[in-house]
Amino acid sequence: MRYSQSFINTRRDDPKDETATNARLLIRGGFIDKLMAGSYTFLPLGWRVYQKIEQIVREEMNAVGSGEILMPLLHPRDVWNETGRWADPNVKQIMYQFKSVDEKEYGLSFTHEEIFLDVVRKNSLSYKNLPIKLYHFSTKFRNEPRAKSGLLRGREFIMKDLYSLHATQDDLDKFYWEVKDAYLRVFDRVGLKDVKVVEASGGVFTSGHTHEFQLVSPVGEDNIYFCDKCDWAQNKEIYTHKIGEACPKCGGQVEEASSIEVGNIFRFGTVYSEKMGINFKDSDGKDNPPYLGSYGIGMSRLVGVLAEVFNDEAGMKWPKSVAPFLIHLTFLGGAKDEAEKLYKSLAQKNMDVLWDDREESAGVKLSDADLIGIPYRVIVSDKTLAKDSVEIKERGSDKVEMVKLDELSSWLERLE
Ligand SMILES: [Zn+2]
């Protein structure tokens, strides 16, 4: 893609109304634009990062046998009344609810359990066509009084939510743990290696225990307790021990840390099915309520989390798997025509290249490259051309490598 045609607008200075690192760096790098607190536009660079994350999540959701759909965001009151959640004071705190001019009541989606169940109940359900597993990527709305953390806490944000319906608790349990493993693969693939699976209380959603996926981070607003030896971890709502106490599972030492929640998984049992009068036929032909599970990943939040983790004083340092591009190609001095030729040959091979074709000073172009944080910067200049070469530098490293022009494609292909 050509820089000059891609609506990339970087800024030298921090935006005055943002305190969160993720918002400051993403706005300066031209990834997002702020509409109001907790509400951002994804610009072309930011949307490419989002789409790379989305594709990783999609691959892992398909791998556990779930199908992708898209559910509406505008919900009629009646379906939410069936579970009693429309009038629940905790729900009213976070759900945008309003009347249209013709006095009909609607809410904006903050989750989709009722809508998923409404979709599946229109089909005859039997033990033969369960489980059902469907997911979507879609916008969620949440009336958020503390929207000051950039993409970490939005009034409007994108989630991946998966819903599953099962004939037995055992089958729900089995799938629940499969999704847990799939989530850990997602976080590993986007570059987050230290995500903990934390036992949590269900809050407004369910009376049983749930699990949160928490990334240990100094900017996190959650607190978790975890063992320094095994995978035992709990959040502060259910933790009753003290720091330094022995881990109840292995005897190791319990530590405390602040963390950011990046995902969560719930087992609702039959509560919602019963409230909505949904049954399936078991193998004896009897009607039974099916078991519901629900599994979320904060997708736009993940972009913010990655920005918090992968940066230095010069800007972003994206992991290869989610970087907006793999290669940032630029030219210095009179080497534009040669660089343009190189761009065309790389583009023909479908390489993931941002071509900075702007007539700007070296200082501007190199500091923009650092701000945007693409993993590999390729410079074509009179000096490198004199050696039939380009200069390659990895973002965040001081090492510069000269690579011959005719060897560049194969050099770059090894990165993909
Ligand atoms: Zn332990």
Side-chain angles (χ1 to χ4, degrees):
M1 229 157 77
R2 282 169 198 279
Y3 196 119
S4 63
Q5 296 172 4
S6 302
F7 199 70
I8 301 171
N9 299 291
T10 58
R11 298 187 193 185
R12 290 289 160 264
D13 302 313
D14 279 335
K16 289 189 175 58
D17 57 344
E18 294 282 8
T19 52
T21 300
N22 73 89
R24 287 192 294 109
L25 285 175
L26 292 172
I27 289 172
R28 286 183 55 199
F31 295 92
I32 59 172
D33 176 73
K34 184 183 197 172
L35 175 63
M36 60 176 171
S39 180
Y40 295 86
T41 295
F42 276 87
L43 298 168
L45 279 181
W47 191 240
R48 284 182 76 91
V49 173
Y50 171 84
Q51 286 178 310
K52 293 205 173 172
I53 299 171
E54 188 182 89
Q55 185 54 26
I56 289 171
V57 174
R58 177 176 289 117
E59 285 168 16
E60 295 296 344
M61 292 301 97
N62 293 348
V64 294
S66 54
E68 186 171 355
I69 58 170
L70 181 59
M71 292 183 270
L73 310 182
L74 183 65
H75 301 170
R77 182 198 61 186
D78 292 355
V79 70
W80 279 83
N81 258 345
E82 290 187 50
T83 57
R85 288 213 282 185
W86 180 267
D88 181 329
N90 291 320
V91 168
K92 281 183 129 31
Q93 286 289 318
I94 55 176
M95 186 179 194
Y96 289 103
Q97 300 179 337
F98 54 90
K99 271 187 191 152
S100 61
V101 286
D102 53 0
E103 296 287 306
K104 293 203 172 78
E105 288 188 89
Y106 298 95
L108 290 179
S109 136
F110 77 96
T111 185
H112 274 85
E113 281 82 13
E114 282 84 350
I115 311 306
F116 165 75
L117 288 170
D118 183 66
V119 169
V120 298
R121 71 175 163 189
K122 288 161 189 156
N123 307 282
S124 66
L125 296 172
S126 96
Y127 72 100
K128 288 181 193 164
N129 57 24
L130 293 176
I132 295 168
K133 309 160 190 171
L134 298 171
Y135 72 97
H136 71 167
F137 298 98
S138 89
T139 298
K140 298 279 181 280
F141 299 90
R142 198 171 289 238
N143 188 12
E144 179 54 73
R146 292 184 299 145
K148 57 177 176 51
S149 306
L151 293 182
L152 301 187
R153 188 176 279 281
R155 292 195 166 107
E156 178 175 342
F157 51 94
I158 308 173
M159 270 188 75
K160 186 286 302 169
D161 34 336
L162 161 67
Y163 302 90
S164 70
L165 204 62
H166 305 262
T168 64
Q169 178 75 48
D170 280 353
D171 197 54
L172 170 59
D173 288 346
K174 186 170 148 273
F175 186 62
Y176 184 83
W177 297 116
E178 275 176 36
V179 174
K180 183 210 82 171
D181 290 339
Y183 274 27
L184 290 177
R185 284 194 296 276
V186 164
F187 299 128
D188 185 64
R189 287 179 66 185
V190 301
L192 301 175
K193 306 296 178 191
D194 193 23
V195 171
K196 295 189 182 300
V197 183
V198 177
E199 200 175 41
S201 67
V204 298
F205 293 102
T206 164
S207 54
H209 282 171
T210 69
H211 289 85
E212 299 168 347
F213 296 78
Q214 296 274 3
L215 179 78
V216 172
S217 161
V219 302
E221 293 177 345
D222 288 345
N223 272 80
I224 59 165
Y225 299 87
F226 59 96
C227 174
D228 66 349
K229 292 211 170 56
C230 75
D231 62 359
W232 179 91
Q234 287 186 337
N235 78 1
K236 75 163 183 279
E237 277 77 36
I238 63 170
Y239 183 68
T240 54
H241 304 269
K242 289 197 178 72
I243 302 153
E245 267 185 20
C247 162
K249 192 169 158 187
C250 79
Q253 189 161 311
V254 172
E255 296 183 3
E256 182 189 19
S258 58
S259 61
I260 307 172
E261 185 179 341
V262 287
N264 49 41
I265 53 179
F266 299 92
R267 282 168 292 189
F268 291 109
T270 59
V271 180
Y272 287 172
S273 304
E274 286 173 38
K275 284 183 173 165
M276 292 178 69
I278 300 170
N279 287 299
F280 72 98
K281 292 251 184 285
D282 68 17
S283 53
D284 299 325
K286 282 196 195 125
D287 280 340
N288 285 299
Y291 294 78
L292 175 69
S294 150
Y295 321 81
I297 292 181
M299 296 296 297
S300 45
R301 171 180 281 200
L302 258 189
V303 178
V305 170
L306 291 167
E308 292 283 344
V309 173
F310 297 102
N311 66 70
D312 61 17
E313 61 289 339
M316 287 303 310
K317 269 166 56 180
W318 295 105
K320 275 192 277 185
S321 59
V322 298
F325 295 89
L326 187 62
I327 300 147
H328 189 128
L329 173 67
T330 191
F331 75 97
L332 302 178
K336 186 173 185 181
D337 290 349
E338 285 300 317
E340 170 83 26
K341 265 192 236 164
L342 190 58
Y343 167 65
K344 284 182 176 158
S345 78
L346 295 174
Q348 233 168 22
K349 292 177 177 133
N350 287 323
M351 307 231 27
D352 196 16
V353 186
L354 178 64
W355 159 219
D356 188 350
D357 55 345
R358 297 173 302 160
E359 305 277 357
E360 291 280 358
S361 71
V364 165
K365 292 207 280 194
L366 299 185
S367 63
D368 280 342
D370 281 348
L371 254 182
I372 294 168
I374 290 167
Y376 294 93
R377 188 187 75 193
V378 176
I379 293 180
V380 184
S381 70
D382 300 326
K383 199 179 88 189
T384 68
L385 289 174
K387 295 176 187 163
D388 290 322
S389 297
V390 299
E391 178 198 294
I392 304 182
K393 183 177 160 300
E394 194 169 347
R395 175 72 176 87
S397 151
D398 292 331
K399 214 181 102 204
V400 170
E401 197 171 338
M402 296 292 275
V403 174
K404 292 280 181 204
L405 277 168
D406 56 4
E407 290 164 15
L408 180 64
S409 291
S410 54
W411 195 96
L412 294 173
E413 269 159 19
R414 286 201 296 274
L415 302 174
E416 300 249 20

